[in-house]
Amino acid sequence: GQNIDQPTEMTATEGAIVQINCTYQTSGFNGLFWYQQHAGEAPTFLSYNVLDGLEEKGRFSSFLSRSKGYSYLLLKELQMKDSASYLCAVMDSNYQLIWGAGTKLIIKP
Amino acid sequence: ETGVTQTPRHLVMGMTNKKSLKCEQHLGHNAMYWYKQSAKKPLELMFVYNFKEQTENNSVPSRFSPECPNSSHLFLHLHTLQPEDSALYLCASSLRTSDYNEQFFGPGTRLTVL
């Protein structure tokens, strides 16, 4: 079957760095997405990786290793507004998104 | 209006009621999706429409009935739901269903079935 694993919850301190991991087993691979979802709001797109390596976008970076079925989202200089759930999703061979359950990130002052 | 909108934002209904959820996208996309989001569970894809044609129905019970009159509008008709159907229902759209297809989400309808 298809499976996406990510930690349920993480806690970090304002101003620090946090890494949210995602491992996957899917039938085919056409890219990996990270979305951010604040409580009661729509998920919003953060990043897309289809080739191995690191993609940097401001304070957020996303890494992919296709051979290991592994990705991480790195958040630097954490701000209180970064408190949210972070969803990992893999596009399978049929171009359907397979979703993880999300990681709830709690930022403490 | 911009992006993807959904109405109502909150809905409480009894098990014998009939109600409909509405989604509208203002992005010029051709694909639209219904997802169910339950607490601490992955997003569950329910239905996919591509150019108004239904292309996916992921074993969704018949008490959920989708309708897509055009590429900008999507409805989810609800009938004789069960309490376990209580969840956040998210609508999304994308340019197409193949290749890179970043999905844009609406804010969701929080459904409670009594």
Side-chain angles (χ1 to χ4, degrees), chain A residues 10-72:
Chain A
M10 298 181 71
T11 302
T13 305
E14 190 176 15
I17 299 173
V18 71
Q19 177 175 311
I20 302 174
N21 295 325
C22 171
T23 57
Y24 63 88
Q25 290 178 308
T26 57
S27 54
F29 179 85
N30 280 303
L32 185 144
F33 291 82
W34 284 97
Y35 279 77
Q36 179 190 59
Q37 186 178 23
H38 285 100
E41 297 184 12
T44 54
F45 170 82
L46 286 178
S47 68
Y48 172 73
N49 295 67
V50 67
L51 299 176
D52 289 351
L54 187 68
E55 296 276 346
E56 296 186 74
K57 193 185 293 186
R59 294 188 300 113
F60 292 9
S61 303
S62 56
F63 172 83
L64 175 67
S65 169
R66 288 172 297 172
S67 61
K68 295 182 179 178
Y70 168 69
S71 172
Y72 67 73

Side-chain angles (χ1 to χ4, degrees), chain B residues 10-55:
Chain B
H10 300 273
L11 178 63
V12 179
M13 59 187 289
M15 289 191 285
T16 57
N17 291 158
K18 288 185 182 180
K19 296 286 184 183
S20 295
L21 310 185
K22 179 183 176 182
C23 174
E24 184 173 359
Q25 58 95 1
H26 309 267
L27 300 168
H29 288 165
N30 300 303
M32 296 188 79
Y33 310 77
W34 278 118
Y35 284 95
K36 176 183 179 182
Q37 187 175 36
S38 303
K40 299 185 179 180
K41 289 186 177 179
L43 284 173
E44 297 175 44
L45 179 64
M46 300 175 72
F47 302 104
V48 181
Y49 279 83
N50 194 34
F51 291 94
K52 302 189 298 178
E53 297 297 320
Q54 185 175 315
T55 58

Side-chain angles (χ1 to χ4, degrees), chain B residues 55-97:
Chain B
T55 58
E56 288 291 334
N57 175 343
N58 281 0
S59 303
V60 180
S62 59
R63 57 186 184 269
F64 295 91
S65 173
E67 178 189 1
C68 188
N70 54 61
S71 292
S72 298
H73 294 86
L74 185 65
F75 295 89
L76 188 63
H77 304 299
L78 314 173
H79 177 50
T80 58
L81 294 191
Q82 305 298 312
E84 60 265 28
D85 297 322
S86 298
L88 181 68
Y89 288 84
L90 290 165
C91 173
S93 71
S94 66
L95 188 58
R96 52 187 173 269
T97 57

